[in-house]
């Protein structure tokens, strides 16, 4: 078993990337198009921030905050997720 990552900035960046990619699956077949668009936008932002850290030495803590700000522009609430009900909306 690997040791947990101790650097809190790196952990924060990894958590932000996971937050970007781990969005709920759509509740309906028709929701797939919105889901695909949303996931593509969020993945693009995650890729950009990772490249900034790995290729340009950007600060992981600042980059995690930046990524979360971009994710807020593309919230997963844009589509109905499995398990959502009309009453729960």
């Amino acid at each position: 078993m690997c040791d947990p990552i101790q650097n809190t900035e790196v952990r924060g960046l990894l958590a932000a990337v996971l937050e970007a990619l781990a969005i709920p699956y759509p509740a309906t077949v028709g929701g797939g198009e919105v889901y695909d668009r949303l996931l593509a936008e969020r993945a693009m932002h995650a890729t950009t921030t990772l490249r900034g850290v790995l290729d340009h030495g950007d600060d992981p803590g600042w980059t995690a905050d930046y990524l979360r700000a971009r994710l807020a522009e593309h919230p997963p609430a844009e589509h109905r997720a499995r398990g959502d009900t009309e009453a729960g909306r």
Side-chain angles (χ1 to χ4, degrees), residues 15-88:
V17 170
L18 180 59
E19 183 181 321
L21 303 176
I23 62 174
Y25 292 104
T28 63
V29 173
E33 185 176 315
V34 173
Y35 173 85
D36 291 345
R37 178 187 53 78
L38 182 63
L39 185 58
E41 287 286 332
R42 293 167 69 94
M44 184 263 313
H45 288 299
T47 300
T48 301
T49 57
L50 289 174
R51 290 226 182 270
V53 171
L54 295 173
D55 296 347
H56 305 290
D58 293 353
D59 177 76
W62 182 90
T63 302
D65 292 341
Y66 176 83
L67 176 56
R68 284 195 173 96
R70 299 297 68 78
L71 297 179
E73 296 170 358
H74 306 283
E78 288 182 19
H79 75 285
R80 285 189 56 199
R82 272 192 220 158
D84 284 353
T85 63
E86 288 299 317

